[in-house]
Amino acid sequence: MADLRTDFVGIRSPNPFWLASAPPTDKEYNVRRAFEAGWGGVVWKTLGAEGPPVVNVNGPRYGVIHGPDRRVLGLNNIELITDRPLEVNLREIKQVKRDFPDRAMVVSLMVPCDEESWKAILARVEETECDGVELNFGCPHGMSERGMGSAVGQVPEYIEMVTRWVKQHSRLPCLVKLTPNITDIRKPAEAAKRGGADAVSLINTINSITSVNLDTFSPEPSIDGKGAHGGYCGPAVKPIALNMVAEIARNPETRDLPISGIGGITTWRDAAEFLALGAGSVQVCTAAMTYGFGIIREMTAGLSAWMDEKGFTSVSQVTGRAVPNVTDWQYLNLNYVTKARIDQDLCIKCGRCYAACEDTSHQAIAMKPGRVFEVIDAECVACNLCVDVCPVENCITMVELPKGTVDPRTGITVGDYANWTTHPNNPMARAAE
């Protein structure tokens, strides 16, 4: 059996699945249920400094994007950090950690951007005997307007400064949670590393308005006829998160910086993809809020079975396996030439491939009598759209042309595409002449 135990920057847990800082980790009751269900760790919902209480809205806090089958594709939330007293949270964190010493207990923090505020809360958090802290530099709503959250995460100099304060005033491992609401994710990651961060976690939520009520003309969720932008999460953000994780993992300046991956993780496969792109642990929120804590059993069983099948005995053997295969476009192999192939035995004659290709692509699929669909190799550019829109798995596949064969679309011998930019068969080259 694969060993799912992880040691992430010195924080040990029985599996790499942690609950992200969010409503599911706001109090002792929830966290106990999560640990009893089998979660490897939690990041306790963000604590703030003592002072004026945080006040959340008393109306709807979530907007949603549904798929055609009502499956939740994305959630938008306008909830702030914890509105429970700091003393209560700290007491509960300490008790839960003592009762579950083998689980990862990380505490998310967000306080005003001055050294004394960070020094004060760190001293109190250390007394809980938690395993680490996560600096919330990602929240895009409510707190950012107060100079915290993503307002810090969008300024690399602030990230470096606050991270340095935290490392000076605490012995705990420090994770810096990054905002995706930025042009180049590598810059804040580099700043976190310069400040001494032990790891980064990403992504936090994306600025969003999920929908507009066309009766009241108010963005949703609507509070007394008004709405505000919120933070978007769930399966829909996974591709954005994977790219940002990979960018940090393959950046020479941060490739040795541990990553806790976040963003739309719903299945064991999602988690494995984050691990393969450089994450050492993963954090889950929307899936737990949609299906409950019991999904952890499917996640751990699925990841373990896949690792057994692949011959991996530890999570660390998966971490980063895909990073060397992430490259920039100009380094892709132009001599890798494929064509679409349709399995007539599997085809249900729906015509989706034909409609998509004929109307929006390269007119490379012919409809023969009897609604038989065939690929026209002389027109197929191997874009893969037909594969993506086909409702039958493996009905359409992409087949590689062997080197030495002539591509009927261009007349170029496979293997000679390195010179395609100047080849006389290239219409752009002819136009340049």
Side-chain angles (χ1 to χ4, degrees):
M1 292 289 290
D3 186 354
L4 296 187
R5 289 178 298 177
T6 58
D7 184 333
F8 184 77
V9 298
I11 302 173
R12 294 183 174 85
S13 58
N15 62 64
F17 295 97
W18 300 357
L19 284 170
S21 170
T25 63
D26 191 31
K27 55 181 176 289
E28 179 178 358
Y29 177 84
N30 301 69
V31 174
R32 283 186 180 278
R33 283 180 60 84
F35 284 164
E36 289 165 358
W39 289 87
V42 302
V43 182
W44 200 277
K45 185 170 180 181
T46 306
L47 310 183
E50 285 189 309
V54 171
V55 180
N56 273 292
V57 295
N58 292 310
R61 298 182 184 182
Y62 304 112
V64 65
I65 297 293
H66 284 124
D69 58 356
R70 289 283 294 178
R71 184 168 62 92
V72 172
L73 300 181
L75 278 182
N76 164 294
N77 87 89
I78 58 171
E79 185 164 304
L80 303 180
I81 65 174
T82 184
D83 53 13
R84 304 169 68 240
L86 177 62
E87 188 61 43
V88 172
N89 276 298
L90 294 173
R91 182 176 65 248
E92 292 181 358
I93 291 168
K94 186 171 186 175
Q95 187 59 54
V96 175
K97 179 59 185 176
R98 287 188 173 180
D99 290 347
F100 294 89
D102 65 325
R103 311 303 173 91
M105 175 67 78
V106 178
V107 178
S108 177
L109 300 175
M110 182 195 296
V111 299
C113 202
D114 65 80
E115 187 172 1
E116 285 306 311
S117 293
W118 283 98
K119 181 178 179 180
I121 197 167
L122 286 165
R124 301 191 66 181
V125 169
E126 284 198 358
E127 293 175 357
T128 68
E129 301 176 20
C130 68
D131 298 301
V133 292
E134 182 180 81
L135 314 187
N136 186 343
F137 294 158
C139 183
H141 58 273
M143 306 308 294
S144 57
E145 291 89 329
R146 309 178 196 192
M148 294 180 277
S150 63
V152 177
Q154 291 168 337
V155 184
E157 292 81 5
Y158 291 172
I159 294 175
E160 180 179 354
M161 177 179 68
V162 177
T163 304
R164 201 177 301 279
W165 291 341
V166 171
K167 293 304 294 181
Q168 287 174 351
H169 297 297
S170 176
R171 60 175 175 75
L172 294 171
C174 170
L175 286 65
V176 173
K177 192 171 188 179
L178 303 180
T179 176
N181 302 299
I182 195 165
T183 305
D184 187 347
I185 196 65
R186 295 172 297 181
K187 301 305 180 185
E190 291 171 7
K193 183 179 179 182
R194 288 194 301 270
D198 297 284
V200 291
S201 56
L202 69 153
I203 59 173
N204 208 313
T205 54
I206 301 170
N207 264 333
S208 65
I209 293 176
T210 51
S211 58
V212 175
N213 185 310
L214 294 180
D215 292 320
T216 64
F217 295 100
S218 169
E220 294 179 331
S222 179
I223 306 296
D224 194 25
K226 302 289 184 181
H229 75 268
Y232 193 55
C233 58
V237 311
K238 175 189 159 189
I240 298 169
L242 285 174
N243 176 65
M244 290 188 170
V245 166
E247 285 296 284
I248 293 172
R250 72 190 189 99
N251 178 13
E253 300 299 321
T254 55
R255 62 172 51 138
D256 60 343
L257 185 62
I259 300 169
S260 185
I262 314 169
I265 297 169
T266 308
T267 68
W268 69 265
R269 185 180 295 275
D270 297 330
E273 291 173 7
F274 273 87
L275 295 171
L277 284 175
S281 70
V282 293
Q283 297 184 34
V284 178
C285 174
T286 305
M289 293 177 70
T290 305
Y291 303 110
F293 290 150
I295 61 167
I296 187 60
R297 291 186 289 274
E298 296 177 15
M299 288 180 165
T300 52
L303 183 61
S304 179
W306 173 77
M307 289 174 59
D308 285 343
E309 179 185 333
K310 295 294 183 182
F312 298 126
T313 58
S314 68
V315 172
S316 62
Q317 292 175 350
V318 180
T319 296
R321 296 281 294 212
V323 174
N325 294 325
V326 182
T327 188
D328 295 324
W329 193 97
Q330 63 264 34
Y331 302 122
L332 296 176
N333 180 13
L334 295 182
N335 282 304
Y336 178 75
V337 181
T338 61
K339 298 293 179 183
R341 293 289 179 263
I342 301 174
D343 186 329
Q344 299 300 334
D345 292 331
L346 294 176
C347 181
I348 60 174
K349 304 183 186 303
C350 68
R352 285 192 192 177
C353 61
Y354 172 77
C357 190
E358 188 72 14
D359 289 351
T360 70
S361 291
H362 297 275
Q363 298 76 53
I365 296 179
M367 181 167 61
K368 301 293 184 67
R371 290 184 66 82
V372 174
F373 299 96
E374 294 181 354
V375 176
I376 306 170
D377 283 1
E379 302 296 338
C380 179
V381 302
C383 71
N384 204 54
L385 178 62
C386 56
V387 177
D388 293 337
V389 301
C390 179
V392 180
E393 188 173 5
N394 296 323
C395 176
I396 308 179
T397 54
M398 304 304 296
V399 177
E400 182 181 1
L401 296 185
K403 284 188 177 181
T405 61
V406 175
D407 184 344
R409 184 177 69 88
T410 62
I412 301 296
T413 300
V414 177
D416 290 345
Y417 272 97
N419 303 315
W420 175 233
T421 54
T422 58
H423 198 282
N425 285 7
N426 184 342
M428 297 303 293
R430 290 198 304 269
E433 294 173 358

